[in-house]
């Protein structure tokens, strides 16, 4: 029996309020309509142990040092990769992940001043690079407006304010410039349907669907 062809690994990145979760769900549905097996997951989280660490990171009950926070994210990521992502890819399932290592580089490296070289080294240790990263770009003003309209309790990253959001936007654009073959930047400020069309167009072109 022939082994299943490896699935594709797509990540969605962007700042707060960029619309990643919504677009991940739309993309999942579009790929399923084409007969592709898809697993949609998220970070931090995506596995039982990773979800425990997610709660620690997002609750705001403790103020972690930048390096400690980086290590927690990578501990959650290691569990996520080994328990969820790799098995799915090996089975031929496409994986759509809402945030991955780029978010750690941007949020902890650009946003909180953690050592970016350490983050790069830890990323290499994970030995898993997305086949395609879709970065949803929104202005700081749009981020604030969308967060204000959510009507839900903000997590600790959502509470960090405009100067943090500005550094985050700068960081994601720098990541995209550093790896233009993997990363595609799409405006997240367009109407939702237009964003979905743009993202699906990139996916179809990248994987010849």
């Amino acid at each position: 029996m022939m082994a299943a062809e490896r699935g594709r690994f797509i990540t969605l990145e962007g700042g707060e309020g960029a619309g990643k979760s919504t677009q991940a769900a739309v993309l999942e549905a579009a790929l399923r309509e084409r007969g592709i097996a898809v697993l949609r997951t998220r970070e931090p989280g995506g596995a039982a142990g990773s979800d425990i660490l997610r709660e620690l990171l997002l609750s705001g009950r403790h103020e972690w040092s930048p390096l400690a926070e980086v290590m927690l994210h990578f501990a959650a990521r290691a569990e996520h990769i080994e328990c969820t992502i790799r098995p799915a890819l090996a089975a031929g399932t496409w994986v759509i992940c809402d945030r991955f290592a780029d978010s750690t580089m941007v949020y902890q490296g650009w946003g909180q001043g953690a050592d970016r070289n350490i983050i790069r080294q830890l990323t290499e240790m994970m030995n898993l690079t997305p086949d395609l990263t879709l970065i949803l770009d929104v202005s700081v003003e749009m981020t604030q407006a969308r967060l204000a309209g959510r009507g839900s309790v903000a997590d600790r990253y959502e509470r960090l304010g405009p100067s943090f959001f500005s550094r985050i936007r700068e960081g994601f654009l720098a990541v995209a410039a550093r790896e233009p073959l993997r990363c595609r930047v799409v405006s997240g400020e367009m109407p939702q349907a237009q964003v979905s069309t743009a993202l699906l167009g990139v996916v179809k072109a990248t994987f010849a669907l």
Side-chain angles (χ1 to χ4, degrees):
M1 181 180 295
M2 295 180 60
E5 181 181 353
R6 177 189 177 276
R8 302 296 189 176
F9 184 30
I10 302 172
T11 56
L12 277 82
E13 298 283 7
E16 302 301 320
K20 300 178 313 305
S21 299
T22 297
Q23 295 301 332
V26 172
L27 181 56
E28 176 191 16
L31 292 176
R32 287 189 184 278
E33 287 179 0
R34 286 164 172 75
I36 297 171
V38 182
L39 171 69
R40 177 162 54 94
T41 186
R42 68 177 183 180
E43 287 204 351
S50 307
D51 285 334
I52 294 171
L53 294 173
R54 177 185 177 87
E55 197 279 331
L56 291 174
L57 285 161
L58 299 186
S59 68
R61 293 200 307 268
H62 180 76
E63 189 68 29
W64 304 98
S65 70
L67 180 58
E69 192 158 325
V70 166
M71 300 303 285
L72 285 170
H73 275 286
F74 275 99
R77 182 162 299 126
E79 191 79 352
H80 186 205
I81 289 172
E82 294 309 314
C83 295
T84 304
I85 298 176
R86 284 199 201 281
L89 294 175
T93 299
W94 289 37
V95 176
I96 298 172
C97 190
D98 181 348
R99 297 200 182 283
F100 194 61
D102 293 318
S103 276
T104 307
M105 173 60 75
V106 170
Y107 273 65
Q108 280 66 56
W110 287 79
Q112 297 178 315
D115 191 316
R116 296 179 203 167
N117 287 325
I118 290 176
I119 297 172
R120 287 192 187 97
Q121 292 168 17
L122 290 168
T123 299
E124 290 173 1
M125 286 176 60
M126 297 295 101
N127 194 30
L128 181 63
T129 302
D131 296 298
L132 173 66
T133 296
L134 302 166
I135 298 176
L136 292 174
D137 178 49
V138 294
S139 67
V140 172
E141 293 75 18
M142 179 65 76
T143 292
Q144 292 180 286
R146 288 181 176 175
L147 291 179
R150 280 183 176 175
S152 58
V153 177
D155 67 35
R156 61 182 292 261
Y157 295 121
E158 293 171 346
R159 296 195 296 266
L160 290 176
S163 62
F164 179 78
F165 300 149
S166 180
R167 294 193 299 274
I168 293 309
R169 186 184 191 193
E170 180 184 0
F172 277 121
L173 294 176
V175 166
R178 184 184 178 96
E179 297 190 60
L181 296 180
R182 173 174 67 87
C183 300
R184 298 289 189 276
V185 178
V186 173
S187 173
E189 299 195 359
M190 299 183 291
Q192 180 181 319
Q194 291 183 30
V195 176
S196 300
T197 298
L199 293 179
L200 184 57
V202 172
V203 171
K204 290 169 66 177
T206 301
F207 301 113
L209 296 179

